[in-house]
Protein backbone atom coordinates (compact mmCIF):
# COMPACT_ATOMS: atom_id res chain seq x y z
CA UNK A 1 0.00 0.00 0.00
CA UNK A 2 2.88 2.35 0.78
CA UNK A 3 4.46 1.57 -2.60
CA UNK A 4 1.11 2.21 -4.30
CA UNK A 5 1.23 5.75 -2.90
CA UNK A 6 4.90 6.26 -3.77
CA UNK A 7 4.94 4.79 -7.29
CA UNK A 8 2.43 7.17 -8.97
CA UNK A 9 4.31 10.14 -7.49
CA UNK A 10 7.67 8.93 -8.78
CA UNK A 11 6.16 8.22 -12.22
CA UNK A 12 4.46 11.66 -12.30
CA UNK A 13 1.32 9.98 -13.60
CA UNK A 14 -0.95 12.81 -12.34
CA UNK A 15 -3.99 10.52 -12.12
CA UNK A 16 -7.32 12.07 -11.21
CA UNK A 17 -8.28 8.96 -9.26
CA UNK A 18 -6.49 5.89 -7.89
CA UNK A 19 -8.25 2.52 -7.84
CA UNK A 20 -6.92 -0.24 -5.61
CA UNK A 21 -8.40 -3.71 -5.94
CA UNK A 22 -7.49 -7.35 -5.35
CA UNK A 23 -6.58 -9.85 -8.07
CA UNK A 24 -9.80 -11.80 -7.50
CA UNK A 25 -12.09 -8.83 -8.09
CA UNK A 26 -14.15 -8.10 -11.18
CA UNK A 27 -14.06 -4.37 -11.99
CA UNK A 28 -16.87 -3.03 -14.13
CA UNK A 29 -14.86 -0.25 -15.79
CA UNK A 30 -17.88 1.36 -17.46
CA UNK A 31 -19.77 1.60 -14.17
CA UNK A 32 -16.66 2.91 -12.41
CA UNK A 33 -16.07 5.67 -14.96
CA UNK A 34 -19.77 6.66 -15.01
CA UNK A 35 -19.87 6.76 -11.22
CA UNK A 36 -16.67 8.86 -10.99
CA UNK A 37 -18.01 11.24 -13.64
CA UNK A 38 -21.25 11.61 -11.69
CA UNK A 39 -19.35 12.11 -8.42
CA UNK A 40 -17.11 14.75 -9.99
CA UNK A 41 -20.10 16.60 -11.47
CA UNK A 42 -21.79 16.80 -8.06
CA UNK A 43 -18.77 17.29 -5.80
CA UNK A 44 -16.29 19.11 -8.03
CA UNK A 45 -12.76 18.93 -6.63
CA UNK A 46 -13.79 17.67 -3.19
CA UNK A 47 -11.52 14.71 -2.38
CA UNK A 48 -12.93 11.21 -2.47
CA UNK A 49 -12.04 8.09 -0.49
CA UNK A 50 -14.80 5.58 -1.23
CA UNK A 51 -15.59 1.89 -1.00
CA UNK A 52 -17.30 -0.35 1.56
CA UNK A 53 -16.93 1.63 4.79
CA UNK A 54 -15.95 -0.31 7.89
CA UNK A 55 -16.83 1.22 11.28
CA UNK A 56 -16.05 0.03 14.83
CA UNK A 57 -13.83 -2.79 13.59
CA UNK A 58 -12.08 -4.33 16.59
CA UNK A 59 -8.30 -4.71 16.47
CA UNK A 60 -7.38 -8.38 16.66
CA UNK A 61 -4.95 -9.26 19.43
CA UNK A 62 -4.95 -13.01 18.75
CA UNK A 63 -1.48 -14.08 17.61
CA UNK A 64 -3.05 -16.84 15.50
CA UNK A 65 -4.53 -14.27 13.09
CA UNK A 66 -2.48 -12.73 10.28
CA UNK A 67 -4.31 -9.47 11.08
CA UNK A 68 -3.22 -9.53 14.72
CA UNK A 69 -1.64 -6.32 16.05
CA UNK A 70 0.03 -5.72 19.38
CA UNK A 71 -0.97 -2.76 21.53
CA UNK A 72 2.41 -1.24 20.71
CA UNK A 73 1.62 -1.39 16.97
CA UNK A 74 -1.90 0.02 17.41
CA UNK A 75 -2.93 0.93 20.98
CA UNK A 76 -6.62 1.70 20.30
CA UNK A 77 -9.15 -1.17 20.68
CA UNK A 78 -10.93 -0.21 17.42
CA UNK A 79 -9.62 0.96 14.06
CA UNK A 80 -10.56 4.38 12.76
CA UNK A 81 -13.18 4.18 9.97
CA UNK A 82 -11.76 2.89 6.69
CA UNK A 83 -12.93 1.25 3.48
CA UNK A 84 -12.45 -2.43 2.75
CA UNK A 85 -9.22 -3.28 0.94
CA UNK A 86 -10.85 -5.49 -1.69
CA UNK A 87 -11.55 -2.39 -3.75
CA UNK A 88 -11.58 1.34 -3.18
CA UNK A 89 -11.02 4.65 -4.98
CA UNK A 90 -9.39 7.85 -3.80
CA UNK A 91 -8.50 11.18 -5.39
CA UNK A 92 -5.10 11.34 -7.06
CA UNK A 93 -4.41 14.78 -5.62
CA UNK A 94 -4.26 13.16 -2.15
CA UNK A 95 -1.07 11.28 -3.06
CA UNK A 96 1.39 14.04 -1.99
CA UNK A 97 -0.48 14.54 1.30
CA UNK A 98 -0.50 10.81 2.01
CA UNK A 99 3.18 10.49 1.13
CA UNK A 100 4.09 13.33 3.49
CA UNK A 101 2.07 11.94 6.38
CA UNK A 102 3.71 8.52 5.85
CA UNK A 103 6.99 10.05 7.04
CA UNK A 104 5.69 10.60 10.57
CA UNK A 105 2.66 8.32 10.99
CA UNK A 106 3.01 5.06 12.91
CA UNK A 107 2.72 2.17 10.45
CA UNK A 108 1.13 -1.21 11.09
CA UNK A 109 0.59 -4.29 8.89
CA UNK A 110 -3.09 -3.97 7.98
CA UNK A 111 -3.37 -2.31 4.56
CA UNK A 112 -6.93 -1.01 4.48
CA UNK A 113 -7.04 0.06 8.15
CA UNK A 114 -3.65 1.76 7.76
CA UNK A 115 -4.89 3.77 4.77
CA UNK A 116 -7.94 4.77 6.83
CA UNK A 117 -5.60 5.96 9.57
CA UNK A 118 -3.54 7.99 7.07
CA UNK A 119 -6.70 9.50 5.55
CA UNK A 120 -7.82 10.50 9.02
CA UNK A 121 -4.54 12.38 9.51
CA UNK A 122 -5.22 14.43 6.38
CA UNK A 123 -8.89 14.95 7.38
CA UNK A 124 -10.48 12.85 4.62
CA UNK A 125 -13.40 10.69 5.73
CA UNK A 126 -14.31 7.37 4.08
CA UNK A 127 -17.53 7.30 2.07
CA UNK A 128 -19.60 4.13 1.90
CA UNK A 129 -20.51 3.10 -1.65
CA UNK A 130 -22.58 -0.07 -1.74
CA UNK A 131 -21.81 -0.74 -5.41
CA UNK A 132 -18.30 -1.75 -4.27
CA UNK A 133 -17.83 -5.32 -2.95
CA UNK A 134 -21.52 -6.28 -2.76
CA UNK A 135 -20.86 -9.62 -1.07
CA UNK A 136 -18.43 -8.36 1.56
CA UNK A 137 -20.72 -9.36 4.43
CA UNK A 138 -21.66 -12.80 3.10
CA UNK A 139 -20.49 -15.82 5.08
CA UNK A 140 -20.63 -18.36 2.27
CA UNK A 141 -18.00 -19.12 -0.33
CA UNK A 142 -17.84 -16.31 -2.91
CA UNK A 143 -17.65 -18.73 -5.83
CA UNK A 144 -21.00 -20.28 -4.89
CA UNK A 145 -22.58 -16.85 -4.39
CA UNK A 146 -21.59 -15.75 -7.87
CA UNK A 147 -22.92 -18.96 -9.43
CA UNK A 148 -26.30 -18.36 -7.79
CA UNK A 149 -26.53 -14.62 -8.54
CA UNK A 150 -28.04 -13.60 -11.87
CA UNK A 151 -25.76 -11.49 -14.08
CA UNK A 152 -28.38 -8.73 -14.11
CA UNK A 153 -27.90 -8.53 -10.34
CA UNK A 154 -24.19 -7.93 -10.77
CA UNK A 155 -24.37 -5.56 -13.72
CA UNK A 156 -25.04 -2.50 -11.54
CA UNK A 157 -22.00 -2.99 -9.32
CA UNK A 158 -18.53 -1.51 -9.66
CA UNK A 159 -16.32 -4.12 -7.95
CA UNK A 160 -17.31 -7.71 -7.15
CA UNK A 161 -14.97 -9.71 -4.90
CA UNK A 162 -14.18 -13.41 -5.11
CA UNK A 163 -14.15 -13.78 -8.90
CA UNK A 164 -11.67 -16.38 -10.10
CA UNK A 165 -9.87 -16.57 -13.46
CA UNK A 166 -12.50 -18.07 -15.79
CA UNK A 167 -15.30 -16.26 -14.01
CA UNK A 168 -13.48 -12.97 -14.75
CA UNK A 169 -13.58 -13.70 -18.49
CA UNK A 170 -17.23 -14.80 -18.31
CA UNK A 171 -18.25 -11.67 -16.40
CA UNK A 172 -16.42 -9.33 -18.80
CA UNK A 173 -18.13 -11.06 -21.72
CA UNK A 174 -21.58 -10.93 -20.06
CA UNK A 175 -21.07 -7.31 -19.10
CA UNK A 176 -20.18 -6.36 -22.69
CA UNK A 177 -23.27 -8.26 -23.87
CA UNK A 178 -25.51 -6.44 -21.38
CA UNK A 179 -24.06 -3.07 -22.43
CA UNK A 180 -24.88 -3.88 -26.05
CA UNK A 181 -28.33 -5.32 -25.28
CA UNK A 182 -29.62 -3.69 -22.06
CA UNK A 183 -33.09 -5.07 -22.75
CA UNK A 184 -31.80 -8.51 -21.67
CA UNK A 185 -32.37 -7.46 -18.06
CA UNK A 186 -35.50 -5.41 -18.57
CA UNK A 187 -37.89 -8.31 -17.98
CA UNK A 188 -36.04 -9.68 -14.95
CA UNK A 189 -37.05 -9.11 -11.34
CA UNK A 190 -35.60 -6.13 -9.47
CA UNK A 191 -32.04 -6.86 -8.36
CA UNK A 192 -31.38 -3.57 -6.57
CA UNK A 193 -31.27 -5.23 -3.13
CA UNK A 194 -28.78 -7.97 -4.08
CA UNK A 195 -25.96 -6.30 -2.11
CA UNK A 196 -26.10 -8.42 1.03
CA UNK A 197 -27.89 -11.40 -0.50
CA UNK A 198 -25.90 -14.64 -0.39
CA UNK A 199 -28.10 -16.87 -2.55
Amino acid sequence: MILSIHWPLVQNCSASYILKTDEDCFVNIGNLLNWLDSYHTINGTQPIYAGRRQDHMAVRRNNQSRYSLSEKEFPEPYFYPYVSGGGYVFSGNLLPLLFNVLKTAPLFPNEDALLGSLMRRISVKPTDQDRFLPFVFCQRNSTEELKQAHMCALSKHIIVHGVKEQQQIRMHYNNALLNSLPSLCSLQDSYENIRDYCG
Side-chain angles (χ1 to χ4, degrees):
M1 189 276 292
I2 294 170
L3 290 174
S4 72
I5 291 171
H6 184 252
W7 182 84
L9 287 172
V10 172
Q11 298 298 319
N12 295 314
C13 68
S14 64
S16 298
Y17 300 100
I18 304 292
L19 166 70
K20 183 272 175 183
T21 190
D22 289 349
E23 79 285 350
D24 63 342
C25 288
F26 167 74
V27 180
N28 189 319
I29 300 297
N31 286 353
L32 174 63
L33 294 177
N34 289 336
W35 177 74
L36 285 172
D37 186 55
S38 174
Y39 178 89
H40 185 74
T41 300
I42 296 168
N43 299 284
T45 58
Q46 181 180 344
I48 185 174
Y49 167 45
R52 292 314 308 274
R53 181 176 166 130
Q54 307 294 302
D55 291 305
H56 309 296
M57 297 296 287
V59 178
R60 295 184 185 178
R61 305 294 186 198
N62 179 0
N63 290 333
Q64 303 298 321
S65 170
R66 67 177 180 151
Y67 300 110
S68 177
L69 297 175
S70 68
E71 290 188 13
K72 183 178 179 181
E73 290 173 304
F74 194 87
E76 302 294 328
Y78 295 93
F79 289 117
Y80 304 120
Y82 63 91
V83 293
S84 183
Y88 53 77
V89 171
F90 64 90
S91 300
N93 60 11
L94 296 177
L95 287 168
L97 299 173
L98 290 168
F99 185 70
N100 284 334
V101 80
L102 273 170
K103 297 173 184 176
T104 56
L107 305 180
F108 52 90
N110 186 319
E111 168 241 326
D112 40 6
L114 174 58
L115 183 62
S117 180
L118 297 176
M119 289 290 187
R120 183 175 182 268
R121 286 175 173 262
I122 62 172
S123 302
V124 176
K125 294 180 180 178
T127 301
D128 187 56
Q129 173 47 250
D130 63 8
R131 294 174 67 192
F132 284 67
L133 308 174
F135 299 112
V136 73
F137 299 122
C138 290
Q139 299 300 315
R140 296 183 185 178
N141 179 284
S142 298
T143 303
E144 293 303 314
E145 290 162 16
L146 287 170
K147 283 180 182 175
Q148 294 179 29
H150 195 285
M151 188 60 203
C152 292
L154 303 174
S155 65
K156 304 294 184 190
H157 297 297
I158 294 171
I159 298 177
V160 180
H161 189 235
V163 185
K164 303 302 180 189
E165 298 86 357
Q166 289 190 353
Q167 282 183 317
Q168 289 271 356
I169 296 168
R170 191 177 306 119
M171 287 182 75
H172 279 288
Y173 173 80
N174 287 342
N175 189 61
L177 187 62
L178 292 177
N179 286 338
S180 300
L181 299 167
S183 61
L184 287 175
C185 292
S186 63
L187 298 178
Q188 299 295 331
D189 294 332
S190 172
Y191 292 100
E192 294 303 314
N193 296 321
I194 195 71
R195 179 166 66 86
D196 294 327
Y197 173 68
C198 295

